[in-house]
Amino acid sequence: MEQGVDLFSPVILGDLELANRVVMAPLTRMRSGESGVPGDLVVEHYRQRAGLGLIVTEGTYPSREGQAFVGQPGIVTGEQAAGWRRVADAVHARGGRIVMQVMHGGRVTHPDVNGGRRVVAPSALAIDGEGRTSRGKQPYPVPHALTVDEARQTLQDFVSAAKRAVDAGMDGVEIHGANGYLLHEFLSPASNRRADEYGGSPANRARFVVQVVTAVAAAVGAGRVGLRISPEHDIQDAYETDRDDVRATYGALLDHLRPLGLAYLSVLHAEPAGELVQELRERFGGPLVANSGFGSVTTREEAVRLIDAAHADAVAVGRAAIANPDLVERWAGEQPENEPRAHLFYAPGAEGYTDYPTLRAG
């Protein structure tokens, strides 16, 4: 380990200068109402957490078609951009850094979520299961398989969203290529059954993600762009069960992205210090943000260990960041933590969102 490097030391990720290496993971919270405009509550939530080295916002849709959740924020309209401007200003006023996660839900949605629009994916394969809609739980529909031209229009939606985000004061964007949403659907052989340039071989399945990230980097600067991936996460029917195929697909992806000089690669995987993640990190050649996933809560001990062993440049933290607005202060001083109230993660209102006590207030 480099001398003087620990979880609480500064780090540079591309154009992003972070005061510490604790990153707030993108966390779906669904508090932006029907309009998708971040309001006072959302501004306060992110403002409170500005002490984290970097905040990654919850997944934000680049088109109404790509909206995955009721109450999810967007970055499509001027009103939405103005809402995010207030969020960015509030975080910056406290010396924080914030990037927007741009997320197209792909087939993980329903017309009762995305305003009656079609549901799209690489292939016309429905998820086996139900999603929450404005009218209760409903089975996921069979999606429309994007044509090549439609995929290129969707790429432009990502570019427009990234420009809007940066124009609204965000320090950058994180492209969501994980967790079974649209970009991950292109990567997974279970959800991508195409026979054209975007399907079949690992390199072809990686092609659309390469094109999206490359175009966004060209539009806002590579040093402001991160990418999140979740190889082998096997969520929302985006199965990746063949390690050789995973290595070939994500290897092709990162070999193409390596020359861009992106700000960071965020990898969600149960074994961030394991062989696969560390091989992908090497293929990428830039800063790695590690996240051990949903299966277990990321603890202070795990985060410290990942940095001390030089297995990552920063660590993305979810539940602990929800429950502790002053998480870095608590972890630095080895102070007790608030317990997250999981039943309120997706509830409306301030409870379980902006009402967790800080050390100074508690």
Side-chain angles (χ1 to χ4, degrees), residues 20-151:
N20 58 72
R21 295 162 188 258
V22 187
V23 173
M24 179 170 159
L27 298 157
T28 299
R29 303 306 300 281
M30 306 196 295
R31 258 75 167 192
S32 294
E34 230 175 289
S35 67
V37 175
D40 292 347
L41 201 59
V42 178
V43 172
E44 177 59 14
H45 171 72
Y46 288 116
R47 186 198 68 79
Q48 289 176 353
R49 287 158 180 78
L52 288 140
L54 178 66
I55 292 171
V56 184
T57 73
E58 64 199 284
T60 303
Y61 57 82
S63 64
R64 275 303 304 278
E65 192 173 77
Q67 181 179 354
F69 307 110
V70 175
Q72 183 185 6
I75 185 65
V76 179
T77 69
E79 198 185 357
Q80 289 168 346
W84 282 119
R85 161 70 67 182
R86 293 179 59 224
V87 170
D89 287 350
V91 170
H92 291 150
R94 290 195 57 215
R97 293 284 174 268
I98 182 167
V99 297
M100 178 183 291
Q101 189 189 65
V102 181
M103 169 193 150
H104 190 300
R107 65 182 181 168
V108 189
T109 188
H110 188 280
D112 286 346
V113 173
N114 72 5
R117 292 162 178 81
R118 64 185 185 169
V119 173
V120 303
S123 302
L125 299 166
I127 297 172
D128 181 16
E130 295 181 321
R132 293 181 187 279
T133 79
S134 57
R135 296 193 299 164
K137 279 195 161 187
Q138 297 195 59
Y140 287 110
V142 175
H144 164 74
L146 290 166
T147 66
V148 170
D149 284 348
E150 288 168 340

Side-chain angles (χ1 to χ4, degrees), residues 273-305:
E275 186 188 343
L276 177 68
V277 175
Q278 293 305 310
E279 180 189 324
L280 294 178
R281 178 193 193 183
E282 205 167 301
R283 300 277 285 263
F284 175 63
L288 174 73
V289 178
N291 184 343
S292 54
F294 306 153
S296 62
V297 174
T298 303
T299 62
R300 179 190 188 280
E301 292 67 34
E302 183 194 357
V304 165
R305 194 165 59 245

Side-chain angles (χ1 to χ4, degrees), residues 51 105 107 170 174 200 202 205 212 272 274 297 305-306 308 312 337:
R107 65 182 181 168
M170 291 283 157
E174 176 178 293
R205 280 183 274 118
V212 168
V297 174
R305 194 165 59 245
L306 283 166
D308 285 356
E337 296 174 40

